[in-house]
Amino acid sequence: MVILTEQIEIPASYEKMEAWITNFEEEFVKWSPYHIECNLYNGNYQVGNKIRFREIVMGLDYDVTGTITECEQDEIHCRIVFRSDKKTAFITLEGKKTKQDVIFLTPRLSA
């Protein structure tokens, strides 16, 4: 299994990250010029719900659908795990609040 992990430090309040998650379909596309589309088919990110996203990775166009397998959120941490329909990859999006009111966002791909 290959695991790719990238950690991004975001100088923002945790409340702003919660708002970002609440508007995930719109915010995912704004996050990067390589993010082309995002659809939460059930309108939210609950376990069992379907999701689709399209992005450019290393020049390749990925159009991926799958199911949310984990979703945790409290006042200092959130974690969403998505499994592709082909069952070839797990994508994890995890954010944690620090004492300095900075969010560490960790996208992770396991394939």
Side-chain angles (χ1 to χ4, degrees), residues 18-69:
E18 286 179 310
W20 185 86
I21 290 169
T22 300
N23 296 302
F24 185 73
E25 285 176 300
E26 294 173 31
E27 296 298 334
F28 178 83
V29 175
K30 290 181 198 175
W31 187 8
S32 168
Y34 300 107
H35 292 177
I36 300 166
E37 294 178 63
C38 181
N39 306 98
L40 295 170
Y41 290 125
N42 302 93
N44 58 43
Y45 50 90
Q46 302 296 319
V47 171
N49 286 355
K50 300 291 283 180
I51 187 171
R52 174 186 168 262
F53 64 90
R54 187 170 160 232
E55 65 181 325
I56 305 299
V57 178
M58 297 177 67
L60 298 173
D61 189 336
Y62 285 91
D63 191 349
V64 181
T65 59
T67 303
I68 295 172
T69 60

Side-chain angles (χ1 to χ4, degrees), residues 4-20:
L4 305 173
T5 301
E6 179 180 5
Q7 189 170 58
I8 303 162
E9 183 178 319
I10 303 170
S13 69
Y14 189 74
E15 293 74 23
K16 285 191 178 187
M17 190 176 102
E18 286 179 310
W20 185 86

